[in-house]
Amino acid sequence: LRLVGRARSRDAFGARVTVVTRDRRQIREVRSGGSYLSQSDLRVFFGLGKAESVECIEIRWPAGGVQTLRAPSIRRYLTVVEP
């Protein structure tokens, strides 16, 4: 997932993403990191193992809003813009 913030941070630093599959719940946070002349990838990645689908993705934006994506496509990059 690539998150694009509007309210506080365009890079959505601090956004918390929860992915729910039939038998698993995973949580990741958008963080920045790097060193001189480098930058870590700001996208958030999830390993789904043998799961064939995702029930929902919940995004808690740094400004306080919550966005839920129901049954999103898998095996692709998604860009989500803060509402």
Side-chain angles (χ1 to χ4, degrees), residues 18-62:
T18 303
V19 169
V20 179
T21 60
R22 200 170 124 227
D23 60 345
R24 186 182 304 183
R25 174 182 299 262
Q26 298 180 62
I27 300 171
R28 303 277 188 277
E29 192 170 293
V30 177
R31 294 193 231 168
S32 175
S35 62
Y36 181 70
L37 296 178
S38 71
Q39 171 66 45
S40 295
D41 196 342
L42 297 177
R43 293 175 294 181
V44 183
F45 295 91
F46 293 88
L48 300 179
K50 294 182 181 181
E52 292 296 321
S53 64
V54 170
E55 292 179 11
C56 71
I57 297 174
E58 181 184 90
I59 303 165
R60 294 190 174 275
W61 295 95

